[in-house]
Amino acid sequence: MSETRLSVIVPVYNGTGVLEKSLSALRDSDLPRKYWELIVVDDASTDDTGTLAAQYADRVVRLDGLPHGPSYARNRAAEVAKGDVAVFVDADVVVHKSTLRQFHEVFDQQPETAAVFGSYDDDPPASGLISRYRNLYHHYVHHQNPGPAATFWAGCGAVRLPVFREVGMYNEWHFSRPQVEDIELGQRLNDRGFRIMLMPEIQATHLKHWTLGNMIATDLNDRGVPWMRLLIRRGTATGEKSLNLKTQEKLKTFLVGLASLTVLLAAWQRSLMWLAVSSMLLGLVVVANMHLYRFFYRHGGWRFALATVLLNLLYYVINTVAAAWGWVLHHTLGDPQLPVAVEAMAEIGVDSWPPVPKKLRGKDAPQQADVVGAEE
């Protein structure tokens, strides 16, 4: 092996329920320890997260006050990292024994590759319909298009640290909680011509337990709406290069949205004709997704597969609502902003730890972020 060194970065807030499994898996990796360091960022936790992290990590970065969010936390770790590559692993993600070694091999053998991300495996431990659907769906999506990508995923992804710093790191100005900060980072990497690879054979297990409520809230508030606002800001909401939104997926979302409107029209006019139109539109989407439902059938049987059809249609309904609401918010409120006090501190360049986000000026402002006062 070459002397390429990984800096494994784990941001966490109140993670005692999952962190030990995550860090234990990293400790048991088959990549020799001399090739990687572990940095855990304790994002203002109120439990014993910091104490637990200290048993495993080479360095624990403690952020005080209120939680700052994973973008901010990952950036602070990158500022003190000593490696050549930052490997981002979420606190509720358990890497496979080979995961770090596979990342190491990619960056050793592919000098032209700037970033790589993997996939969840197909054996999520969380039981229940929603958890299995959600975690397996993510696995399915990442296995459909391996190879060059125009986006990035921070649950189990890696990027060369010089490149990461060059493009401005995570945009902590716009993303103060888990949202689409990794997708936005991927957009900037892609815009600058850096090569990103999706390699689904690099896998990890997701521990998250999903409920119907937090699935809807996540898809609407933390994924769909900010994603739409990002696309509008880039001017690609309806174009072919809408990050990793395929034309086929946009068409399915449109059909389900149209079907929802025809259901309302059928109820208003008490018309079976409109109800039949709605059923036909939904049928087209179901037929187009048969490969997905066969995947669910193989992993849970026909009852599970039938239930996932309804959950998948709900996903498209949420996408429709998110697109509409994101458009409204963008054209009424503009770009997301940090609190006024934080913005004021950024304007005068306050030097502090943790550092205050620095808002860039000019046309690159919505796409990049930097920090001041980065010394610990």
Side-chain angles (χ1 to χ4, degrees):
M1 287 188 179
S2 77
E3 292 305 311
T4 298
R5 196 156 186 259
L6 310 180
S7 292
V8 181
I9 295 171
V10 181
V12 57
Y13 169 70
N14 285 355
T16 53
V18 294
L19 189 61
E20 186 168 9
K21 291 182 180 179
S22 178
L23 299 185
S24 295
L26 286 166
R27 179 195 59 196
D28 296 338
S29 296
D30 61 14
L31 179 68
R33 198 65 174 83
K34 68 176 182 177
Y35 292 110
W36 60 282
E37 64 173 343
L38 175 58
I39 304 172
V40 177
V41 186
D42 179 6
D43 190 10
S45 297
T46 58
D47 60 7
D48 293 327
T49 288
T51 302
L52 176 59
Q55 298 175 29
Y56 296 87
D58 298 294
R59 186 164 194 170
V60 177
V61 178
R62 166 72 185 183
L63 302 178
D64 295 321
L66 297 175
H68 300 72
S71 294
Y72 190 93
R74 294 178 188 125
N75 284 351
R76 302 293 79 75
E79 290 165 347
V80 300
K82 299 177 181 178
D84 305 294
V85 174
V87 178
F88 301 107
V89 178
D90 284 348
D92 61 355
V93 168
V94 175
V95 298
H96 288 192
K97 197 175 187 69
S98 62
T99 301
L100 295 187
R101 174 175 51 81
Q102 289 173 293
F103 277 129
H104 190 275
E105 290 172 352
V106 170
F107 287 103
D108 259 2
Q109 299 169 10
Q110 301 182 24
E112 72 282 4
T113 296
V116 176
F117 61 101
S119 168
Y120 292 144
D121 61 27
D122 62 353
D123 190 25
S127 60
L129 170 64
I130 306 300
S131 292
R132 287 191 60 77
Y133 161 74
R134 185 68 179 208
N135 292 324
L136 285 171
Y137 183 68
H138 192 286
H139 170 88
Y140 173 86
V141 170
H142 275 198
H143 278 252
Q144 296 311 296
N145 294 285
T151 186
F152 184 69
W153 177 51
C156 185
V159 58
R160 295 187 189 274
L161 270 164
V163 171
F164 179 64
R165 291 165 179 150
E166 179 181 336
V167 300
M169 306 195 292
Y170 287 101
N171 190 335
E172 60 193 62
W173 184 268
H174 285 133
F175 304 107
S176 58
R177 67 176 193 270
Q179 290 185 314
V180 294
E181 70 280 353
D182 48 359
I183 294 173
E184 193 270 345
L185 172 64
Q187 160 246 304
R188 280 183 281 122
L189 289 167
N190 188 64
D191 285 350
R192 296 283 292 274
F194 291 112
R195 187 186 191 207
I196 309 170
M197 293 295 292
L198 165 55
M199 303 184 69
E201 64 271 23
I202 302 176
Q203 295 192 14
T205 303
H206 198 200
L207 302 179
K208 184 167 182 175
H209 174 75
W210 290 91
T211 65
L212 183 62
N214 66 24
M215 183 185 77
I216 293 173
T218 297
D219 281 345
L220 183 62
N221 297 323
D222 296 331
R223 305 294 292 179
V225 170
W227 201 331
M228 186 63 182
R229 297 178 77 178
L230 176 60
L231 293 178
I232 295 173
R233 192 163 68 237
R234 283 173 52 80
T236 58
T238 58
E240 288 295 320
K241 297 182 178 180
S242 300
L243 300 182
N244 62 339
L245 290 177
K246 295 183 178 180
T247 300
Q248 188 180 59
E249 286 301 300
K250 289 185 284 187
L251 178 59
K252 293 173 188 175
T253 299
F254 172 76
L255 291 176
V256 173
L258 188 59
S260 301
L261 291 177
T262 56
V263 167
L264 296 176
L265 189 58
W268 179 49
Q269 294 190 349
R270 298 181 180 179
S271 169
L272 292 177
M273 182 193 71
W274 287 116
L275 194 59
V277 171
S278 177
S279 299
M280 180 187 69
L281 294 172
L282 294 177
L284 290 174
V285 175
V286 170
V287 170
N289 278 344
M290 285 305 296
H291 187 271
L292 170 63
Y293 305 138
R294 284 194 292 268
F295 166 80
F296 285 131
Y297 171 76
R298 292 194 298 270
H299 286 79
W302 67 268
R303 290 183 180 177
F304 177 62
L306 286 176
T308 62
V309 172
L310 298 177
L311 291 172
N312 189 230
L313 292 176
L314 174 62
Y315 163 77
Y316 290 116
V317 171
I318 295 170
N319 283 352
T320 302
V321 175
W325 187 235
W327 186 90
V328 170
L329 290 178
H330 178 83
H331 290 283
T332 56
L333 301 180
D335 289 332
Q337 300 293 326
L338 285 179
V340 174
V342 174
E343 185 169 3
M345 294 173 72
E347 293 288 346
I348 61 176
V350 171
D351 188 10
S352 65
W353 179 260
V356 175
K358 177 183 176 183
K359 188 175 182 181
L360 299 185
R361 300 298 182 189
K363 64 179 181 180
D364 291 331
Q367 301 178 9
Q368 300 185 36
D370 203 349
V371 294
V372 293
E375 296 300 319
E376 185 175 10

